[in-house]
Amino acid sequence: MSVVEIRKVTTKADLSDAFAVRRAVFIEEQAVPEELELDEFDHDASTIHFVARNAGGQPVGTARIRPYGTSDAVKVERVAVLRDWRGTGLGRRLMAALESEARSTGYRLAKLNAQTHARAFYEGLGYEPRGDLFMEANIEHIAMEKRL
Ligand code: COA
């Protein structure tokens, strides 16, 4: 299974492809309420979404970044890979794509709230935990960050 492309979302069709992955992963698989999963930042002009597609053009992964707090910080959110594609290096490639975009836009710090089951995934990419565990959408999380 090879992913043909990971790219920034630029069209409505791209965005609905990104949402389709998030719907499958967060709303259907993880039972996150739709009203929490799809939020106001999705349509903010400063939010950058990414979508990964397979050779057939089907969306298989997504993530988004948005400005956060201080001027040099970006928040990484909604990182999702369809179940059949996990463990293929796609999550790593999505993170590399969004970090590269953030860096070239001038951001120097990436922050995220990791579901604790994914903590080791982010640690392997250089993210460090910050503070205590907390609950969000009924899922245990930990804040993490990385200098870009
Ligand atoms: N726990 C520990 N290590 C993990 C891991 C996990 N849950 N998921 C991946 N890794 C490791 C891989 O083993 C691999 O390590 P290696 O470089 O030593 O081989 C590395 O992280 C990269 O893995 P990759 O194949 O790129 O990850 P992925 O495509 O499976 O994507 C997620 C990882 C977390 C994005 C994916 O599992 C997912 O979408 N999960 C459901 C949604 C979710 O929970 N998102 C996170 C919200 S915070």
Side-chain angles (χ1 to χ4, degrees):
M1 296 205 292
S2 63
V3 174
V4 169
E5 61 168 8
I6 295 175
R7 65 176 212 181
K8 276 199 289 184
V9 162
T10 56
T11 66
K12 281 188 179 170
D14 288 343
L15 189 59
S16 52
D17 279 353
F19 287 170
V21 174
R22 284 168 48 181
R23 187 170 291 281
V25 172
F26 295 118
I27 297 175
E28 290 167 18
E29 185 182 332
Q30 296 189 349
V32 174
E34 180 169 344
E35 60 274 18
L36 289 181
E37 166 44 32
L38 302 168
D39 67 14
E40 70 273 22
F41 298 113
D42 281 325
H43 299 286
D44 193 297
S46 61
T47 300
I48 302 172
H49 299 265
F50 298 80
V51 64
R53 291 194 177 82
N54 66 11
Q58 304 300 313
V60 294
T62 190
R64 78 177 189 195
I65 55 175
R66 62 180 173 92
Y68 189 66
T70 58
S71 61
D72 74 341
V74 71
K75 183 105 181 272
V76 177
E77 295 175 312
R78 309 306 197 267
V79 181
V81 170
L82 291 187
R83 196 193 284 275
D84 285 353
W85 285 79
R86 292 181 199 153
T88 67
L90 178 53
R92 177 193 296 280
R93 286 185 58 198
L94 274 165
M95 294 298 294
L98 65 83
E99 287 174 8
S100 166
E101 174 68 23
R103 225 177 275 119
S104 67
T105 313
Y107 294 108
R108 292 293 171 261
L109 181 68
K111 294 177 164 244
L112 56 82
N113 292 335
Q115 295 184 13
T116 50
H117 71 82
R119 172 178 174 158
F121 165 71
Y122 292 114
E123 282 177 334
L125 302 177
Y127 287 78
E128 294 176 354
R130 294 281 182 269
D132 298 327
L133 302 180
F134 61 95
M135 298 300 285
E136 199 174 82
N138 222 22
I139 297 171
E140 193 179 66
H141 284 75
I142 183 150
M144 303 185 81
E145 63 182 46
K146 175 183 178 178
R147 297 301 313 175
L148 295 175

